[in-house]
Amino acid sequence: MTTLWDLMPAMSLFAFVTAITPGPNNLLLANSGAQFGIRKSWRHLIGIRIGVAGLILLCACGVGVALTTHPSWYLAIKYLGLAYMFWLMIKLLCTNPFSGKSTKSKPINMTQATLFQLGNMKAWMASLALVTSYSLPSSYWLSVALITLVFTTFGLFANITWVWVGQKIRVYLNTTLKQRMFNISLAAITFISLLPVLEHSI
């Protein structure tokens, strides 16, 4: 009989790979780290973890199944997320947030980061995959709690890493060309991360 501890190695590996790979959250955090530093990005980071934990609970309660059985609901969330991601890419390509000039922009706050997860298809898919793959009928809510704990732990590590990378890389963005290339790189990685979603949307 499979136990929670039997699932831990595979679940932890899946959680780590999903959390550390480039995606909307990590790219936004790298951008925040470069603009504002780690200390001013913590509300953004905590908001992400609250939002993703909420998605896991929603999937565990059956919302994920409802989205797959009601294509119109699923498509609405998918296209909302895609629209936001394309807006983000345009913003990255058209702005220069790393210049030394004063700016009125502020870090994403906790509420914004939490609500953003509703349109984050990578977070939805990861949450649904975790619940369907690693929950146990015999200990359902205990396994859901363990899934949430594991994914939150690895998610925090991954998110902090991306903010730190963003903060450190700012030192090298000392010319307009380097700043522009960094923005283009983030936009390109964002687009690549959307390819699987776009492929299934056509």
Side-chain angles (χ1 to χ4, degrees), residues 175-197:
T175 67
T176 301
L177 177 61
K178 290 180 180 179
Q179 293 161 1
R180 180 64 61 189
M181 291 305 297
F182 181 74
N183 287 353
I184 292 174
S185 298
L186 283 181
I189 295 172
T190 301
F191 179 76
I192 291 171
S193 73
L194 292 178
L195 288 179
V197 179

Side-chain angles (χ1 to χ4, degrees), residues 11-12 17 19 26 31 34 53 62 64 70 73 86 88 90 94-95 105-106 129 132 138 140 161 170 173 178 189:
M11 185 198 309
S12 298
V17 172
N26 287 334
N31 187 42
H70 294 80
W73 300 357
F86 280 114
L88 174 63
I90 293 172
C94 297
T95 60
S105 63
K106 297 180 180 179
T132 56
S138 58
Y140 185 70
T161 299
R170 179 170 182 163
L173 304 177
K178 290 180 180 179
I189 295 172

